[in-house]
Amino acid sequence: MSHLFRRADRFHTGHRCFLLTVALAVIFLLGMGGRAQGVDIIDLHHNTSSGVPAAPYGIGTAVTVHGVVTVGSGVFTADYTDVWVQDGTAGINIYHYAVPHQFALGDSVTINGTIDQYRGLTEVAMTTYTVHSSGATPPEPLVVTCDDVEHAFLPDYSEPNEARLIRINDVSWTGAWPSFSGPITLHDESGTCVLYIDGTTAIQNMTPPAGSFDVVGIVKQYAGFTPPYTSGYELMPRSSGDFFIHAGPQIVNGPRETELQHNDVTIHIETSTACTAVISYGLTDAYEIGTATDGVSTTVHDILTGGLDPATVYHYSIDLEDGTGLTTTPDRLFSSASAAGGIGTIQAIFNKSVDHNVATYEQALGGQDLEGWIIDRIDATNLTLDVAIYSFDLPAVADALIAAKNRGVQIRFIYDNRDTYQAEVTRLISNGITVIDDAYGANTGNEIMHHKLWVFDAYSPDPADPWVYAGSWNLSVQGTNTDAQNVIMIQDQALARTCTIEMDEMWGSSSATPNASNSHFGTNKIDNTPKIFNVGGKEIEIYFAPSDPWLGALIDQVETADLSINFCILSFTRFDLTNEMEDRWLNSPGMKIRGVFDSGESGNTGSQYFPMNGEGDYPWDPPADVMFDAETGALHHKYMIIDVDHPSSNPVIATGSANWSNAAVGDNDENHIIIHDPITANKYFQEFSARYQAAGGGEDLTTGINDSAPPAMRFRVGPNPASFRLQTEFSLTNSGRVICDLYSVDGRRVERLIDHIMTGGRHTLSLDLRRNQDLASGMYYIRLSTPDGEQMRPITLVR
């Protein structure tokens, strides 16, 4: 959610009356001249049951308040007056659309204005002010808990902590530390709450705390645009000085799951000082499986958690200890890889044309019958099918769902609470399919259930059965036949089971019967899923909005771009994403940034098309190669392709249901998928090239495209058969970490043979198998993982 430009929707006032402008200016220059009778600020935080300011201080009521400034001008924005004042009873936000005065921390002030509200935040819309003195000591922050912030709306409808300077002690955090603005989740013994980092504060540039810390900030409300305004509370620190780090090692990189196998997962951690690291893990946050450690004091740890079941979600926490103290991370999640026997297929399909002239590996599937693809998968489903869809009015798909239900498939169907494009939902219900929407239970349905997510046979005993379908496609006639759409289909057991967790959270249960008391949509959801998966040797990340930091993950990928960023997008209003793209554009020689925007956004002044095209208040100079689409129907895509034409630069495709907008970050139910795979990235690039050309793009996109797949890594193992010693030969183009493992035929890792940092060039190494006396004769596999890729070779052992 964008806090810097939050007023754009309310204060596009155009030309104002000249006399009114002069009159206001005179009033501000003169000030008040004296201290008028004021109201206790706490009295302004009484509301109706919907969170709207209640009489006698309802919206529009004129008030005077006295207090000390706790957040001065320019801390959260320099574009308008956004300061915070506190008296002996409570705090209040002071707003004005201009900046008539630079208020400073510690100013003693009188503010006159009227009661207003923005997304639940009660504020005084300032008309006049008086600064009585400067340099006063700001009030001490009130010590509260995460639960106090999360539930700042009390049963008596008051909000005594809203806009107050508060402190939470002994907290930790999870999420993605933003590169500009964004939320993270705070944890203490009482529960969790949101901490929002505003990019203007530069907090995003500090080293994120690794363990426990205390934090000070303002309690702000940022709820929806319509009542009830009873949620959406967050803590906003003012600077890095509001963080008080406890003693102990600090994590500078990670923790991150690497080497995800079906029976073990490696956790990578880098710390500021040499320390010991112990991981506790289990199926719950009681960590009942036990602990794992690498047994050394160092700044880089790669710790193997073993004894895992395939496609299973595990909890873990890390204890880091050095001479200064102990750091314990909050509970985190990882998923083991799918069981042996899965296919790991990743397939992209597009309903519009594609350009095979830029194909490097496989020709993309363009002009596809999306309806036929989904019906075929429904027909192949044996046990369970979970659907979360925004629009649905395709009779043939409804027929397939009804037929699946009649042959015994358990179907859970979730859709958005609205009237349009839902014609077939009633027919599903009349045929016995259970359906809920985002107004189910205590959910309001005020925001959008925007998923386009299908999960097939997630818990089938055959690991080749589970599939996940996602992408941009709404199942409407227009969405299918007119608008430009993409669908990403992934065969993976672990990914499907994690998507089922998201479905369970909205459904309210893991059974066929929904539970209204446990159903959570939108801002009621929590971050409760792992993010990283090994799908057929390719890394995939998945995030669910609004609980997960998906935009931060996308910005992180933009930061890695070396040579190109290409995208097609329906709605793009997030300036923090644009800022990171502009940084790559200006500071990476040869960087290509191309984008096609939906033409329906040409009248949206908040669209990032305009700055990228060199227009408006924040123009790119030089402008990027961006344009509006010129084809019939909406450009409904939400995808970005990074470094597609350079296989050595980690090509990435990011897609899903989420537009790059405030609502998709802070309100809607969405999914966002990041795939690290040059083949899939190039398929999307073929689609992009067709849309780019149709929009009038003038660059030859075949230039610089590698016309063949990167050469296979040379890797030989011998002798074969072998007894106790092997010799391996391989060549590296890039320097980096080299891992060589021995696997049994059922996919279980038996032994790690090599784990070294190696330089580019040709290498010959001996592999000694005598250390493992339990190895029986039979077939095994040698797996070599290097910066250039992975290779496996079969080997027969004779003992």
mmCIF file of all heavy atoms in Angstrom, residues 177 214 519:
data_model
loop_
_atom_site.group_PDB
_atom_site.id
_atom_site.type_symbol
_atom_site.label_atom_id
_atom_site.label_comp_id
_atom_site.label_asym_id
_atom_site.label_seq_id
_atom_site.Cartn_x
_atom_site.Cartn_y
_atom_site.Cartn_z
ATOM 1 N N TRP A 177 12.086 -7.632 4.278
ATOM 2 C CA TRP A 177 12.473 -6.259 4.585
ATOM 3 C C TRP A 177 12.415 -5.464 3.287
ATOM 4 O O TRP A 177 13.044 -5.825 2.304
ATOM 5 C CB TRP A 177 13.875 -6.226 5.167
ATOM 6 C CG TRP A 177 14.226 -4.956 5.858
ATOM 7 C CD1 TRP A 177 14.867 -3.886 5.311
ATOM 8 C CD2 TRP A 177 13.951 -4.615 7.223
ATOM 9 N NE1 TRP A 177 15.017 -2.898 6.245
ATOM 10 C CE2 TRP A 177 14.461 -3.308 7.434
ATOM 11 C CE3 TRP A 177 13.329 -5.274 8.279
ATOM 12 C CZ2 TRP A 177 14.377 -2.661 8.661
ATOM 13 C CZ3 TRP A 177 13.236 -4.635 9.501
ATOM 14 C CH2 TRP A 177 13.755 -3.338 9.691
ATOM 15 N N ASP A 214 13.568 -3.824 20.481
ATOM 16 C CA ASP A 214 12.459 -2.971 20.861
ATOM 17 C C ASP A 214 12.248 -1.960 19.737
ATOM 18 O O ASP A 214 13.214 -1.584 19.054
ATOM 19 C CB ASP A 214 12.742 -2.231 22.163
ATOM 20 C CG ASP A 214 13.135 -3.161 23.305
ATOM 21 O OD1 ASP A 214 12.777 -4.363 23.233
ATOM 22 O OD2 ASP A 214 13.796 -2.689 24.248
ATOM 23 N N SER A 519 -13.147 -18.863 8.883
ATOM 24 C CA SER A 519 -12.907 -18.388 7.524
ATOM 25 C C SER A 519 -12.293 -16.996 7.546
ATOM 26 O O SER A 519 -12.806 -16.086 8.201
ATOM 27 C CB SER A 519 -14.226 -18.363 6.747
ATOM 28 O OG SER A 519 -14.056 -17.748 5.488
#
